Amino acid sequence: MVIKNFVRGLSALSLALVPLLSAPAAQAAPVAEVTTLADAVGLVKVTEEDRTGYTRTKFKHWNSGDDAGDGCNTRNEVLIAEAVVAPTVEAGCKLTGGTWTSYYDGQEVTSAGSLDIDHMVALAEAWDSGASAWSAARREAYANDQGADVSLVAVTARSNRQKSDQDPADWMPPSPEAQCRYVGEWVATKLRWGLTADDRELEALKVYAEGPCEDTIVRYTPVA
């Protein structure tokens, strides 16, 4: 009797262990990386850029944002998050009041309608740098990325239009105080999403990394 009970116990234990043994290992969460700007620039892969086939419609935005139940799209969620004086959120996520600082040009803005939400690495530049090979779902995730504070930024419409889809070889924020922050956030975004750089872009980044921005720290968490 004792032997039978022992055998039954082993059988039950074996059955209990089957799901544990057969279940796939949980995927480890991406680890946040912290490094110097110079080292971060060295991690960006270099390739030629190709804009063949690009249209903005291939990056769905703005979607329902991080909180699908708040009635606000990604644009308005970013505006609420980045306000230095919080706006009033009315029905339909209409924003009234509030104050923002556009760090590209140092301007204080008191009307949400005067702000653009800039993709740190513009959609066209992302396409050139690797996003052309992504799925539509990954491009939508990129275009609405609130998982990193640096991916989307509220700035004056004027500064955003001046920047357009240019990389740091051709455009930098007009405010000198903003330039090291900008380069750091640009590189962080490229590394977060595994995007590449062309030769001119990389050389421009190195000028800042080895010169006026050598003390800049880059923080990023790779997207799986």
Side-chain angles (χ1 to χ4, degrees):
M1 188 67 159
V2 172
I3 293 175
K4 286 183 179 179
N5 288 338
F6 179 69
V7 171
R8 286 173 184 166
L10 284 178
S11 297
L13 180 59
S14 298
L15 290 172
L17 288 174
V18 167
L20 296 176
L21 295 173
S22 60
Q27 186 174 1
V31 177
E33 303 287 348
V34 181
T35 187
T36 64
L37 178 58
D39 285 347
V41 170
L43 295 174
V44 179
K45 294 181 180 179
V46 182
T47 62
E48 293 184 6
E49 295 185 351
D50 184 1
R51 195 158 297 184
T52 303
Y54 168 74
T55 62
R56 281 181 66 85
T57 57
K58 291 182 177 178
F59 293 81
K60 182 181 177 182
H61 67 293
W62 304 110
N63 64 18
S64 58
D66 281 356
D67 183 355
D70 66 1
C72 297
N73 63 13
T74 299
R75 170 186 162 81
N76 280 357
E77 285 183 356
V78 173
L79 287 170
I80 293 167
E82 295 194 0
V84 293
V85 176
T88 300
V89 183
E90 300 178 350
C93 202
K94 180 181 179 182
L95 306 183
T96 59
T99 303
W100 294 262
T101 300
S102 168
Y103 94 79
Y104 288 178
D105 50 13
Q107 297 296 304
E108 183 178 281
V109 181
T110 56
S111 171
S114 298
L115 292 161
D116 280 356
I117 303 302
D118 182 37
H119 294 92
M120 173 55 58
V121 175
L123 302 181
E125 169 69 20
W127 178 273
D128 298 349
S129 308
S132 60
W134 294 351
S135 67
R138 187 173 178 86
R139 286 196 290 268
E140 180 179 352
Y142 176 84
N144 296 275
D145 181 20
Q146 295 185 68
D149 292 341
V150 305
S151 295
L152 301 171
V153 57
V155 295
T156 57
R158 179 180 181 182
S159 63
N160 187 40
R161 310 295 163 77
Q162 289 174 340
K163 172 186 172 181
S164 186
D165 56 12
Q166 300 175 93
D167 68 34
D170 296 308
W171 186 87
M172 288 291 289
S175 173
E177 293 78 11
Q179 292 178 355
C180 289
R181 173 182 170 182
Y182 181 78
V183 172
E185 293 183 356
W186 178 277
V187 175
T189 303
K190 288 246 165 168
L191 292 175
R192 173 170 169 77
W193 287 92
L195 296 171
T196 61
D198 63 17
D199 289 327
R200 288 186 67 249
E201 176 187 347
L202 190 70
E203 288 307 310
L205 294 173
K206 286 180 178 179
V207 168
Y208 286 93
E210 297 169 3
C213 305
E214 62 180 352
D215 295 329
T216 297
I217 299 299
V218 174
R219 297 174 175 83
Y220 67 97
T221 301
V223 174

